[in-house]
Amino acid sequence: MRTRKTYKIIITGIFLLVFAGISSAAENDKTADTPDMSRILGVEEFVKLAAQNDTRFEEILIDELALQYRKDLNLPARDLILSIKAQYDFFLSQDREEPESTVSLEKLFPYFGTSFSASYKSTPSFSSQVNSSEFTFSISQPIAKNAFGSATRLQDKIIGLEMDVARHQIIEAYEDYFAAVINIYYDWYEAYENLKIGESSYAENLKLLENIRQRSISKIALPIDVHKIDIQVLAKKEKLVNLMEEYGRALNMVKKAIRYKGVETLMPKEPALYKWEGIDFERDYQAFKVNSRTHQILRLLENKSLLEVDKNANDLLPSINLIFGYEVNGDDFEIENEDNKIIAGVSMQLPLFEQVQNAEHKVSKITLDKTRLSAQSIDAQLYFDLKNLYRQIERERELIAISNKKIQLAQDVVVDETENYSFGKITLNDFIQAVNVLDDNRFSNITHSTRLRQLIAEWLRLTDVLVNASVLKKY
């Protein structure tokens, strides 16, 4: 039986699945430039800490603890039932009191439908001073409705399928939240990189402003040039203020996810990218249809609907029970002067119209048809959703490649335009535009990189490989 402690262990282990197919991304190690009171927090460590400390993960997984009791709650009880009744009878006309008692045992074997009962009864008599006693043993076996426990076994299978679906849905809920947590890190990293660009741009424009002021003092630049750069610096400062607020908000989300209470300044590390090369959409989608959790749920729901039809068809049968028994009657508690008899018979309940049962049977058939149609619709929707997602990922990859080239070209342009402006070959407006184009391309590159990571995380989520049930089975 799993406990809350067990789920803590499970939660700690699950995060490893996210990065099972992830390759190392080329990046520069920024640790050497990190201040003493800073701490580099990579995405792997972040996800591990979030899985350990964010109680939402445990809240999702703990739902499985209740599943193990579903059969006990919804199937006929297998309990051995003991009933005891004791009383005193006072005979006013005879000035006599006698005990009266009844003891019975009942036991149902639900998977066979067989019911056993045994009872002992002692009753005082009005006509004599001797109690009459009776011992009865009987067996009841259904042979039509729930014949030999068939309906109970069907119900057991139905509940088993419901439990399997529920387990899959628990993992899906975990996976959805898991993807949201990963995106928190991606947003934080994007805000961090944007903030670095904003700080760098603001610092460079401050240097440019000082340079233009010196040139103005030397009568090389016009006063209007100073004003133009002043406006540029203020624009960069305004952008930086917004970027600082966005970064602070993203950092707070990270701290909330890992329940961070430390004093070190957290800093992100560039997340690795999933190995996307070699993915063939049509081939991989066919594998997804066979192996994915989503399609397993669809198949389970259809099987459940089929069993519901069979169960409701069984309910249309008359209730017929074969009864076998043995009875002993006698005097006093010891059953003296006994009379013995064996009982064999049939009991039957036959509803004449069965309005409710007929309706339930027809509704279950309609539900089966609807389940099949729904599965087809979901499959078609998933195909086109994944196809569109695949195209978006390919688009972002191409845009990142273009963005990298644009950054390189923009950097070259800024270098050339800096020289051209210093020799008076271009206006200050042309130089400012070149600087802004470089900044815009740098921001755009970060946006596309983050978008790519988020799209790939969504791809892993929709294809049911972001989190896998195999980790849960280890514990």
Side-chain angles (χ1 to χ4, degrees):
M1 177 178 176
R2 292 176 179 169
T3 64
R4 296 181 77 250
K5 182 177 180 182
T6 305
Y7 278 102
K8 283 289 186 182
I9 299 173
I10 293 173
I11 290 168
T12 303
I14 287 182
F15 85 96
L16 294 170
L17 287 173
V18 182
F19 308 100
I22 294 182
S23 63
S24 298
E27 62 171 328
N28 296 322
D29 189 354
K30 307 176 184 64
T31 306
D33 300 326
T34 303
D36 291 340
M37 291 302 292
S38 297
R39 172 184 171 187
I40 297 292
L41 181 64
V43 64
E44 295 91 344
E45 183 183 3
F46 166 76
V47 172
K48 179 180 179 180
L49 290 173
Q52 288 176 334
N53 301 326
D54 190 341
T55 53
R56 177 60 182 153
F57 284 107
E58 186 178 4
E59 180 184 347
I60 293 171
L61 288 178
I62 206 168
D63 286 340
E64 191 180 7
L65 291 176
L67 291 180
Q68 60 189 311
Y69 302 106
R70 184 169 292 188
K71 287 189 177 183
D72 291 334
L73 291 171
N74 292 280
L75 290 177
R78 301 184 296 271
D79 302 338
L80 180 64
I81 301 174
L82 171 65
S83 298
I84 300 175
K85 178 183 177 182
Q87 68 182 46
Y88 264 90
D89 295 346
F90 296 92
F91 297 84
L92 300 179
S93 59
Q94 301 180 24
D95 191 23
R96 178 169 66 94
E97 60 182 56
E98 295 288 348
E100 179 178 341
S101 59
T102 303
V103 179
S104 65
L105 282 174
E106 294 182 9
K107 172 68 176 178
L108 172 66
F109 295 87
Y111 291 98
F112 299 97
T114 308
S115 176
F116 291 85
S117 67
S119 66
Y120 171 84
K121 183 177 182 181
S122 176
T123 308
S125 173
F126 281 96
S127 59
S128 70
Q129 298 292 321
V130 179
N131 287 6
S132 62
S133 298
E134 175 184 298
F135 173 78
T136 305
F137 175 78
S138 65
I139 302 173
S140 178
Q141 179 65 59
I143 58 172
K145 179 188 291 188
N146 193 30
F148 300 96
S150 58
T152 302
R153 292 194 296 274
L154 280 173
Q155 183 66 19
D156 178 77
K157 292 179 181 178
I158 290 170
I159 295 173
L161 292 175
E162 290 174 345
M163 292 170 64
D164 290 339
V165 170
R167 289 190 181 97
H168 285 316
Q169 290 173 337
I170 288 170
I171 297 172
E172 288 207 328
Y174 187 101
E175 189 173 50
D176 292 344
Y177 191 69
F178 204 87
V181 168
I182 293 173
N183 283 327
I184 288 174
Y185 189 92
Y186 291 159
D187 289 340
W188 180 41
Y189 178 75
E190 179 183 14
Y192 174 75
E193 290 296 319
N194 284 337
L195 181 59
K196 287 202 306 180
I197 295 171
E199 290 173 340
S200 173
S201 178
Y202 179 63
E204 291 299 322
N205 278 274
L206 281 176
K207 292 179 183 178
L208 178 60
L209 177 60
E210 182 61 29
N211 180 269
I212 295 296
R213 282 174 176 167
Q214 294 299 323
R215 290 165 66 92
S216 177
I217 293 172
S218 303
K219 306 301 182 180
I220 300 174
L222 298 172
I224 193 173
D225 291 342
V226 177
H227 295 327
K228 287 180 179 180
I229 296 298
D230 233 337
I231 292 174
Q232 173 85 345
V233 168
L234 291 173
K236 297 300 181 181
K237 185 175 183 179
E238 182 181 27
K239 177 72 172 178
L240 181 59
V241 169
N242 290 328
L243 291 174
M244 291 175 67
E245 188 277 331
E246 290 175 5
Y247 177 76
R249 183 157 26 96
L251 178 59
N252 281 336
M253 292 294 293
V254 167
K255 289 181 177 179
K256 173 181 176 293
I258 65 175
R259 304 300 193 264
Y260 186 69
K261 297 180 180 179
V263 296
E264 296 174 309
T265 301
L266 298 179
M267 297 177 66
K269 181 180 180 181
E270 183 179 355
L273 273 174
Y274 182 78
K275 287 182 179 178
W276 187 253
E277 293 77 9
I279 289 182
D280 182 298
F281 180 81
E282 297 298 336
R283 178 200 66 197
D284 292 344
Y285 184 78
Q286 294 305 316
F288 168 72
K289 287 185 66 174
V290 174
N291 303 316
S292 72
R293 183 170 59 251
T294 300
H295 283 87
Q296 288 177 18
I297 290 176
L298 295 177
R299 289 190 289 270
L300 288 170
L301 290 174
E302 182 176 348
N303 291 336
K304 175 179 174 292
S305 295
L306 281 167
L307 292 176
E308 291 280 4
V309 172
D310 293 341
K311 179 177 176 297
N312 288 321
N314 182 273
D315 289 342
L316 291 173
L317 298 173
S319 178
I320 303 176
N321 293 324
L322 296 179
I323 300 173
F324 303 94
Y326 173 73
E327 183 177 310
V328 181
N329 294 291
D331 299 331
D332 290 329
F333 294 103
E334 297 82 4
I335 314 181
E336 299 174 347
N337 303 318
E338 63 185 47
D339 290 324
N340 300 282
K341 64 179 178 180
I342 296 175
I343 302 169
V346 177
S347 68
M348 177 185 295
Q349 289 183 343
L350 180 61
L352 297 180
F353 300 104
E354 294 190 319
Q355 175 182 344
V356 174
Q357 288 82 358
N358 273 302
E360 288 177 344
H361 185 231
K362 292 177 181 178
V363 168
S364 64
K365 287 184 175 181
I366 295 171
T367 302
L368 174 60
D369 292 338
K370 182 178 179 180
T371 301
R372 287 171 171 166
L373 292 172
S374 177
Q376 294 174 14
S377 298
I378 292 172
D379 181 53
Q381 186 65 48
L382 273 172
Y383 177 86
F384 288 107
D385 287 347
L386 287 171
K387 188 71 172 180
N388 289 335
L389 187 57
Y390 180 83
R391 288 171 175 161
Q392 291 177 51
I393 291 172
E394 290 296 309
R395 179 197 66 191
E396 292 300 328
R397 294 179 70 209
E398 292 182 15
L399 290 176
I400 289 173
I402 293 172
S403 178
N404 288 331
K405 292 180 181 179
K406 289 173 69 176
I407 289 174
Q408 183 60 54
L409 291 173
Q411 288 173 337
D412 293 340
V413 169
V414 168
V415 171
D416 291 341
E417 294 291 57
T418 300
E419 182 178 352
N420 290 335
Y421 177 70
S422 66
F423 288 107
K425 294 181 179 180
I426 62 170
T427 66
L428 181 60
N429 289 344
D430 293 332
F431 178 73
I432 291 174
Q433 182 180 1
V435 171
N436 288 338
V437 166
L438 174 59
D439 286 349
D440 290 343
N441 284 319
R442 292 167 71 189
F443 283 124
S444 177
N445 182 264
I446 295 300
T447 299
H448 289 306
S449 297
T450 302
R451 179 64 176 158
L452 176 61
R453 289 183 172 91
Q454 291 174 336
L455 288 172
I456 290 177
E458 180 67 4
W459 172 272
L460 297 175
R461 186 187 72 83
L462 286 180
T463 53
D464 300 332
V465 296
L466 189 61
V467 172
N468 194 292
S470 60
V471 170
L472 294 175
K473 294 179 181 178
K474 293 180 182 179
Y475 301 96

